[in-house]
Amino acid sequence: MMRAAVTSRLMGLLLLAAGYPSAGFAQDTLQPYQLVRSLQLVQDRIAAGDHAAMPMQAKLLEMTDTRLREADAEDFKDPKNFRALLVYGMSGGNPVTVEAAVSRATTDPGSLAIAKGVIDYLNGRPGEAIEALRPIDPMTLPADLGAFLALVKGSLLAGDQPAAALTLLDEAKLLSPGTLVEEAALRRSVGIAVTQGDAARFALASTQYVERYLYSPYASQFADSFVSGVITLHMSISQDKLADITAMMDPEREKVIYLRIARRAAIDGLSDLSAFASARAEHGRDGNTNQGDPRAELYSSLSTVTSGTIEDVRTKLGKIDRSKLSDGDRALLDAAQAIAGEVVAPPASLPAVSPASADTAPQPKPEVAAAQAADEAGLPPVEGAVAEQPAVAPPGGTAAAAPNAPAPSTDSATVLPASAPATSAGPDTTDPTDAAMMKTRRQLDLIDQMLGAAPK
């Protein structure tokens, strides 16, 4: 109730200032801290899902920028105005305005040290920003400034010190609950928890975000991190926990999330997860099913394309309406149909080799030799595709390992396909069926590359 009353008074004052005929009325009437506080209230409404407030945010940023550009040293003698300047900068303000205003301000050394770190952060100098802000404890500052500073420090440390970053993001949430700061802190905590492999933290932060900020305009960033986290942590997060989190979403968002999980899981070869997510997407909620959605049908088929029910899968793939798929999904459909066709294709017979030709042992044609070399060297690593055999590192370098992929074996320099015959000095006795299996395996590996390279 108190927050709503304050918001109403500030919004009324803002509208009066914005509509007054004199261009300088807003600057003369409102102190910088009043404008910045109004900006924060509007941003908090946006984080809660009030997208209609976004034009008001743009207007407030413009008015605040003008006011701070004209502020003098006398204005910044009030600590509230100087803190407001720093909060404005960390709220998406103009770094040029912040730097110019700081140069005119006369304040204590501690506040100037924070200002230096904020300016470094705004100007894309993370190393300098970390050094400037390292000794400053956000919990010792006023809550309005401390919350933003904890958020900024947490973001800066996310790559090199993720555990410390998570602690700082927790402090930001504690200092500023129910605000844009908490929304951003939760959203970033989800991504850091994934890199840390912390399934419990990932599930908790995801639950809190869905409960409070599902309709934020920044929720699409959360959705990206959430889908990636489910794929990366699939061995640590149960399907029941996943269902509990998505049950808090509205039916349409839940369907989209499950479709995205199903697609990523199918590409990464996680057949159980892909089947589960596809089934949840098709099942729908409250009696409204999504059966017949071509995306769900495609993703569920990808997880079973090499199974014993291949004829059923081929029939299902053939009934999918391509016109309702994106370009990336059409490529997946083509790849799945190609795999299914290779699985059921009869083995091709090889021409008989006469003793005379065997004795002469002619060299293979260039294209055949190239294919054999490709088989022996192994396929190059492709994002999203996990080979059945370990990849071989190129000379002088190290192959990039896919997440959760087993470490390459060092027992041998070359990994041959499982069906490759042993090299023999005697006549070629390759069985036609084995040769066809080798050919099919090569084609399936190439199609796996296509699946891995498709947009996720």
Side-chain angles (χ1 to χ4, degrees):
M1 183 65 68
M2 179 65 71
R3 176 184 287 268
V6 172
T7 302
S8 298
R9 289 199 297 270
L10 285 173
M11 290 303 101
L13 186 58
L14 169 65
L15 293 174
L16 176 63
Y20 198 81
S22 172
F25 180 78
Q27 290 76 16
D28 295 339
T29 303
L30 299 178
Q31 288 294 310
Y33 78 87
Q34 292 175 310
L35 283 168
V36 171
R37 184 57 184 142
S38 299
L39 174 63
Q40 289 180 279
L41 291 171
V42 170
Q43 289 179 330
D44 296 344
R45 288 172 54 184
I46 293 172
D50 185 1
H51 295 200
M54 295 187 75
M56 189 178 293
Q57 174 186 236
K59 181 63 178 178
L60 268 170
L61 282 168
E62 177 187 341
M63 293 175 62
T64 305
D65 185 76
T66 301
R67 180 67 177 89
L68 289 172
R69 281 177 180 271
E70 297 175 355
D72 54 24
E74 191 68 24
D75 290 317
F76 293 120
K77 286 183 178 179
D78 185 342
K80 291 186 294 185
N81 282 337
F82 191 79
R83 291 202 307 269
L85 171 66
L86 300 180
V87 169
Y88 161 78
M90 293 183 283
S91 299
N94 187 342
V96 175
T97 299
V98 175
E99 191 165 6
V102 168
S103 68
R104 298 191 301 269
T106 302
T107 186
D108 61 277
S111 296
L112 290 176
I114 298 174
K116 181 184 182 305
V118 171
I119 291 170
D120 287 333
Y121 169 73
L122 293 175
N123 285 293
R125 298 189 293 267
E128 291 88 338
I130 290 173
E131 288 304 314
L133 300 176
R134 189 184 303 278
I136 301 170
D137 182 2
M139 299 298 289
T140 64
L141 301 174
D144 57 345
L145 179 59
F148 272 97
L149 192 62
L151 179 64
V152 167
K153 288 185 68 175
S155 301
L156 288 169
L157 296 176
D160 295 333
Q161 302 178 48
L166 286 172
T167 299
L168 285 162
L169 294 176
D170 285 344
E171 292 177 356
K173 293 184 291 182
L174 181 64
L175 290 169
S176 194
T179 66
L180 181 65
V181 170
E182 184 187 38
E183 188 273 345
L186 282 171
R187 178 161 34 90
R188 294 173 189 178
S189 295
V190 171
I192 298 174
V194 175
T195 62
Q196 285 285 87
D198 190 340
R201 172 67 75 108
F202 170 80
L204 177 61
S206 297
T207 300
Q208 292 174 334
Y209 191 93
V210 173
E211 280 180 333
R212 302 169 192 176
Y213 302 107
L214 182 62
Y215 300 100
S216 163
Y218 313 108
S220 61
Q221 298 176 24
F222 161 76
D224 293 340
S225 298
F226 180 71
V227 172
S228 296
V230 170
I231 299 299
T232 302
L233 303 173
H234 68 278
M235 295 295 291
S236 305
I237 297 179
S238 69
Q239 294 178 355
D240 288 341
K241 170 54 73 174
L242 178 57
D244 288 342
I245 295 172
T246 59
M248 295 184 291
M249 302 177 181
D250 59 85
E252 181 61 26
R253 282 177 171 79
E254 182 183 43
K255 182 187 80 169
V256 170
I257 286 291
Y258 275 124
L259 285 172
R260 292 182 61 182
I261 293 172
R263 187 178 196 273
R264 286 285 304 274
I267 290 173
D268 288 3
L270 307 176
S271 56
D272 289 344
L273 179 57
S274 179
F276 166 77
S278 298
R280 294 292 299 224
E282 285 186 315
H283 184 266
R285 198 196 302 169
D286 302 328
N288 298 318
T289 65
N290 301 308
Q291 292 180 355
D293 189 311
R295 296 167 296 179
E297 293 177 355
L298 171 61
Y299 306 150
S300 62
S301 299
L302 289 175
S303 63
T304 57
V305 74
T306 57
S307 69
T309 58
I310 188 60
E311 288 297 343
D312 294 338
V313 174
R314 292 185 70 197
T315 301
K316 187 176 181 180
L317 289 172
K319 293 180 179 180
I320 293 176
D321 186 351
R322 298 175 59 89
S323 65
K324 296 182 179 180
L325 298 175
S326 66
D327 291 341
D329 282 347
R330 290 192 194 106
L332 288 178
L333 177 58
D334 291 339
Q337 289 177 325
I339 294 173
E342 289 293 340
V343 170
V344 299
S349 59
L350 297 178
V353 180
S354 64
S357 62
D359 292 338
T360 57
Q363 294 296 321
K365 294 182 180 180
E367 61 269 21
V368 176
Q372 291 174 346
D375 283 345
E376 292 173 357
L379 294 171
V382 177
E383 180 184 1
V386 181
E388 292 181 0
Q389 299 289 348
V392 179
T398 303
N404 300 328
S409 172
T410 58
D411 294 340
S412 60
T414 304
V415 179
L416 293 175
S419 58
T423 303
S424 173
D428 184 5
T429 58
T430 302
D431 184 85
T433 301
D434 288 341
M437 291 176 63
M438 290 172 59
K439 176 176 177 291
T440 299
R441 179 179 291 277
R442 283 198 298 270
Q443 292 173 333
L444 287 173
D445 286 340
L446 292 174
I447 292 170
D448 283 343
Q449 289 192 62
M450 185 191 303
L451 285 170
K456 297 185 179 182

